[in-house]
Amino acid sequence: MSQLHVINHPMIQHKLTIMRKKETGSKDFRELLKEIALLMGYEVTRDLPLDTVEIETPICRTQAKQVKGRKMAIVPILRAGMGMVEGLQTLVPVAKVGHIGLYRNEETHEPVVYYCKLPEDIQDRLVIVTDPMLATGGSACDALQMLKERGCTNIRLMCLVGAPEGIERVQREHPDVDIYLAAVDECLNENAYIVPGLGDAGDRIFGTK
């Protein structure tokens, strides 16, 4: 079974509270999301393997640690997942970025795929999938399946807020993928929005409503 990691650092919780407020505008919403993604990235990458290398400081030669030559890719689920990419890239500037485009059918609440562009060697990379909201889990599960069909075996799902229904679905359909969240909310409403949630993350990021 995949592990659920809830990263409840005080600064993450503080920034998330501001994001939840309906009066928070797009500019602040985007900046807060980027900052939280950076902070969460420390935990998502906590177990990266290290190599010992010899370096020379201004004082002497010494043995020091650096991240082993393990490749990484960030794959946002469009469009809201894009809001988390810059924060992760600040932490790991050499990571490649792929894109998976999904939108939700407003009647069935199921995801529809419209775009997929990934690094050629995606199967050799640690892949971090980003999407601020884990609601029904449909988009996340579809994105994870698309990555697995392309040979990916080391995938982590990083979201901001998750509903129990979406968490359960991802764990059931993708038991090998760990989930990283800043908060687990109460439930989904009749329109499959997370309660209390923070509204439509895509609209709030890009100011489209």
Side-chain angles (χ1 to χ4, degrees):
M1 176 63 70
S2 69
Q3 295 293 311
L4 173 63
H5 307 265
V6 181
I7 306 170
N8 56 1
H9 187 284
M11 291 309 302
I12 291 177
Q13 298 306 306
H14 174 79
K15 293 174 187 294
L16 177 57
T17 295
I18 300 172
M19 290 183 70
R20 289 186 190 274
K21 294 179 180 179
K22 65 180 182 180
E23 63 267 25
T24 298
S26 290
K27 177 179 180 293
D28 290 337
F29 193 94
R30 283 194 304 271
E31 291 178 353
L32 289 162
L33 181 57
K34 179 180 73 174
E35 292 167 6
I36 291 177
L38 171 60
L39 293 171
M40 291 183 69
Y42 283 104
E43 293 300 320
V44 177
T45 58
R46 174 176 288 276
D47 62 349
L48 292 182
L50 295 172
D51 271 339
T52 300
V53 296
E54 186 171 294
I55 63 169
E56 187 168 354
T57 76
I59 308 301
C60 66
R61 297 194 69 80
T62 187
Q63 301 288 312
K65 300 293 185 182
Q66 69 177 23
V67 174
K68 202 170 183 177
R70 193 172 186 180
K71 301 174 181 178
M72 186 181 302
I74 306 164
V75 179
I77 299 175
L78 301 179
R79 60 187 168 140
M82 283 296 299
M84 304 178 80
V85 172
E86 188 177 349
L88 285 175
Q89 282 187 305
T90 301
L91 186 65
V92 190
V94 297
K96 290 191 175 181
V97 180
H99 300 88
I100 293 178
L102 299 167
Y103 69 88
R104 187 172 71 162
N105 183 302
E106 293 300 326
E107 294 182 0
T108 66
H109 307 308
E110 288 299 310
V112 179
V113 179
Y114 66 88
Y115 185 76
C116 182
K117 181 72 172 179
L118 301 168
E120 290 183 356
D121 60 350
I122 189 75
Q123 70 279 357
D124 299 323
R125 295 176 176 270
L126 164 62
V127 182
I128 300 174
V129 177
T130 63
D131 193 352
M133 314 303 285
L134 178 56
T136 65
S139 294
C141 285
D142 277 14
L144 295 172
Q145 185 59 40
M146 291 169 69
L147 289 166
K148 289 181 177 180
E149 289 171 357
R150 288 159 175 78
C152 298
T153 58
N154 189 8
I155 312 171
R156 299 174 186 184
L157 176 63
M158 176 176 151
C159 304
L160 192 63
V161 176
E165 297 91 330
I167 295 167
E168 188 277 332
R169 180 170 176 178
V170 172
Q171 289 185 320
R172 182 179 70 251
E173 296 186 17
H174 298 281
D176 55 334
V177 176
D178 281 4
I179 304 168
Y180 294 80
L181 298 173
V184 177
D185 278 11
E186 296 171 13
C187 61
L188 298 177
N189 65 14
E190 65 277 7
N191 294 315
Y193 281 97
I194 300 174
V195 179
L198 43 74
D200 187 302
D203 284 336
R204 296 195 68 186
I205 291 166
F206 299 108
T208 45
K209 269 192 182 176

